Amino acid sequence: MTPRSSWNADVSWAEFDPIAYVDHNYRDMQAEDAEILCIVRDHFADHFRRYPATPVSGIDVGAGANLYPAFAMLPWCEEITLLEYSSANVRYLESQVAAYDANWDQFWDVLREHEAYRALGMDPRERFRRAVEVKGGSILDLARYEGRWSVGTMFFVAESMTTSWQEFRLGVERFLRALTPGAPFAAAFMEHSKGLYAGEHFFPACDVGESEVHASLEKLADDFKVVRPASSACVRDGYAGMLLACGRRRQ
């Protein structure tokens, strides 16, 4: 039975099965993910065209078993931190750093339709290996790193770690506060998620919609939009759709 209420600390995240998750969600690219990638790609490319910066450090908060948010930051970042709480996901990410699996090539192919990604100047696997560091840790512990990173992503994390609306808002706030003022960000959310199974274990979710996502961002974000991808394909059962927010950390 699914518990009525689960805070992040109540969940056995070490039981998360990253291989089952990748097989179900990312072995073949879904239309929603392709659309999200295009939006994020153009958002970051436009930002760094208008506001060139060096050095650039990136963070993907709650990276899980998903590499494409890090891919989206790759052309500009000298370093990218993949922050992940689940020990099983940490091991998966570490296994991908040296040479990631072939299924991830289709996601890079979408990104490289933009000249900023085509101009990378080296094999993306080599750039990924050089830039990426996997770090074990929780989104809720980011308070000590306020203003540390100059670009950030958070995909399907704050609403997928708890059933608590309070903890969801805290997760979004900790993510945004970890970015330098003016830093571009992209954050994706499962809309009205009921939780998910990864392997044999159930993991909770907070039921959020567009208004809740907007409210969680407005205190610390500027020039942001929350959009719902037009694609109708579903990655998995148990949610109404996806929401994507792109903007900048408030100055």
Side-chain angles (χ1 to χ4, degrees):
M1 297 290 292
T2 304
R4 291 188 63 184
S5 180
S6 295
W7 288 63
N8 183 63
D10 299 330
V11 181
S12 298
W13 292 104
E15 303 299 329
F16 194 93
D17 186 340
I19 303 303
Y21 185 78
V22 169
D23 285 344
H24 192 53
N25 294 292
Y26 302 125
R27 192 62 60 195
D28 298 303
M29 185 168 56
Q30 305 294 323
E32 283 174 313
D33 288 306
E35 186 175 351
I36 285 172
L37 266 176
C38 289
I39 297 171
V40 175
R41 174 195 72 193
D42 294 348
H43 171 59
F44 286 158
D46 181 64
H47 175 88
F48 287 108
R49 178 184 58 80
R50 291 186 295 152
Y51 307 105
T54 185
V56 176
S57 60
I59 185 169
D60 183 27
V61 174
N66 182 5
L67 303 188
Y68 78 67
F71 287 175
M73 297 183 281
L74 206 53
W76 302 280
C77 290
E78 293 186 5
E79 60 177 26
I80 299 173
T81 300
L82 304 186
L83 184 73
E84 174 55 39
Y85 186 65
S86 164
S87 58
N89 284 339
V90 166
R91 289 191 296 272
Y92 172 80
L93 292 169
E94 288 176 338
S95 76
Q96 298 297 298
V97 170
Y100 52 77
D101 292 340
N103 66 291
W104 295 108
D105 290 333
Q106 60 196 319
F107 297 91
W108 180 256
D109 288 343
V110 172
L111 292 170
R112 69 183 304 274
E113 292 172 2
H114 193 290
E115 60 183 356
Y117 295 82
R118 291 195 302 272
L120 188 60
M122 67 170 64
D123 180 84
R125 281 180 172 79
E126 177 64 14
R127 181 61 175 266
F128 192 80
R129 184 187 67 79
R130 292 186 186 185
V132 169
E133 178 186 15
V134 181
K135 182 178 178 64
S138 170
I139 184 176
L140 300 175
D141 296 332
L142 282 175
R144 56 182 170 163
Y145 296 107
E146 184 158 352
R148 163 68 174 80
W149 289 277
S150 41
V151 59
T153 54
M154 181 182 68
F155 275 51
F156 317 122
V157 179
E159 82 289 5
S160 299
M161 65 176 186
T162 181
T163 61
S164 164
W165 167 233
Q166 177 184 351
E167 203 166 37
F168 162 76
R169 286 186 298 177
L170 180 61
V172 175
E173 179 179 342
R174 293 283 166 85
F175 164 63
L176 289 174
R177 288 192 182 279
L179 305 179
T180 58
F185 71 85
F189 305 86
M190 293 290 183
E191 185 178 20
H192 302 307
S193 177
K194 307 304 180 186
L196 79 154
Y197 280 91
E200 299 179 354
H201 299 275
F202 182 81
F203 296 90
C206 185
D207 186 349
V208 299
E210 186 172 352
S211 61
E212 289 84 5
V213 169
H214 194 282
S216 73
L217 295 165
E218 60 185 358
K219 177 182 175 182
L220 292 169
D222 278 334
D223 302 326
F224 73 94
K225 294 182 179 180
V226 180
V227 299
R228 184 180 290 105
S231 305
S232 59
C234 287
V235 174
R236 59 177 174 81
D237 296 331
Y239 68 101
M242 293 182 184
L243 297 169
L244 176 67
C246 292
R248 294 184 296 112
R249 167 73 162 86
R250 179 160 292 167
Q251 295 280 0

